[in-house]
Amino acid sequence: DGGITQSPKYLFRKEGQNVTLSCEQNLNHDAMYWYRQDPGQGLRLIYYSQIVNDFQKGDIAEGYSVSREKKESFPLTVTSAQKNPTAFYLCASSIGAASSYEQYFGPGTRLTVT
Amino acid sequence: SQQGEEDPQALSIQEGENATMNCSYKTSINNLQWYRQNSGRGLVHLILIRSNEREKHSGRLRVTLDTSKKSSSLLITASRAADTASYFCATDLQGAQKLVFGQGTRLTINP
């Protein structure tokens, strides 16, 4: 899983609670990404960051928030406004902007909200 | 938005056979990438092919790209049980700094 760590591997929360998923990389990559994957589906982009202190919404940003205060860290908060938060969340990084470089993925966090 | 779509959705073959997966996309691209995902794990990058390339090889993997048909194929030769995984194509949108992933092909290699 190439220098990217996500914790925890499994996370359980009650409906109405905010929860923060951790993503750390030691690859010295500028760009970082958060994806959501539902069973049997592909990846959908939540947020991405091309540089420290800057980030952009992806295709499904509603109900999520991020910060990028350090190059190596890109935490994702799933807020109570996210209507269906139960999913597998994947963090990734790349040397530069996504389209020209391969992405390195973490092992994922499986979030279950009941 | 669905840029890349893989075909078939699922493929089951015998060990030693070749496996071919296809990816179609809608708009012009700069690059196309293929990734593998073992069940419950993160994705692993396999190959990146640029729009001006037609074919690329990496070990038992061969990727082709036909920009006129807006399609790519991934061929795995002499398949092994360890190749059992889901395979995704990912395309960029020209001018966009992000990838769009297809829904993947679930490949099962039977011993």
Side-chain angles (χ1 to χ4, degrees):
Chain A
D1 296 315
I4 298 188
T5 57
Q6 290 186 244
S7 61
K9 188 171 178 64
Y10 298 95
L11 190 54
F12 298 89
R13 280 295 183 269
K14 295 290 187 185
E15 196 172 324
Q17 293 179 334
N18 292 355
V19 59
T20 297
L21 281 60
S22 167
C23 177
E24 304 277 332
Q25 54 100 357
N26 62 3
L27 301 169
N28 200 31
H29 285 173
D30 284 320
M32 297 186 74
Y33 313 86
W34 274 106
Y35 295 93
R36 171 186 170 132
Q37 186 177 32
D38 292 286
Q41 301 296 312
L43 278 63
R44 291 185 290 169
L45 183 64
I46 305 172
Y47 268 98
Y48 64 106
S49 168
Q50 296 183 40
I51 198 167
V52 175
N53 292 322
D54 186 53
F55 48 83
Q56 285 80 40
K57 292 181 179 179
D59 299 317
I60 55 164
E62 185 174 351
Y64 299 98
S65 66
V66 295
S67 63
R68 187 87 188 274
E69 297 175 1
K70 298 186 295 182
K71 187 174 186 178
E72 58 270 21
S73 179
F74 191 41
L76 173 74
T77 297
V78 184
T79 75
S80 56
Q82 169 49 232
K83 292 182 172 52
N84 185 17
T86 294
F88 188 49
Y89 290 87
L90 286 160
C91 179
S93 70
S94 61
I95 293 173
S99 61
S100 300
Y101 300 99
E102 67 179 276
Q103 293 189 12
Y104 293 76
F105 283 80
T109 291
R110 191 168 299 279
L111 173 65
T112 302
V113 177
T114 57
Chain B
S1 59
Q2 191 71 30
Q3 165 71 327
E5 294 186 6
E6 287 92 343
D7 171 62
Q9 290 189 343
L11 178 63
S12 181
I13 61 174
Q14 295 300 120
E15 195 166 16
E17 294 181 338
N18 295 342
T20 299
M21 288 155 273
N22 303 296
C23 170
S24 60
Y25 56 93
K26 297 186 176 70
T27 62
S28 296
I29 60 171
N30 293 314
N31 307 293
L32 184 144
Q33 304 185 34
W34 284 91
Y35 288 81
R36 184 187 76 231
Q37 184 182 34
N38 290 92
S39 182
R41 306 288 297 274
L43 277 69
V44 174
H45 181 264
L46 297 176
I47 286 183
L48 182 154
I49 187 165
R50 305 193 187 283
S51 58
N52 61 354
E53 297 176 313
R54 291 295 167 259
E55 188 170 309
K56 232 173 162 177
H57 296 254
S58 176
R60 294 182 295 113
L61 307 181
R62 180 171 77 101
V63 167
T64 60
L65 179 64
D66 187 333
T67 53
S68 67
K69 294 181 180 177
K70 292 187 170 59
S71 69
S72 174
S73 67
L74 169 67
L75 168 67
I76 303 174
T77 60
S79 63
R80 305 168 182 168
D83 295 327
T84 294
S86 290
Y87 292 82
F88 296 90
C89 69
T91 51
D92 61 350
L93 302 172
Q94 282 189 342
Q97 298 303 323
K98 58 181 183 177
L99 293 178
V100 179
F101 287 81
Q103 294 193 335
T105 293
R106 292 187 307 280
L107 174 65
T108 302
I109 309 299
N110 301 303

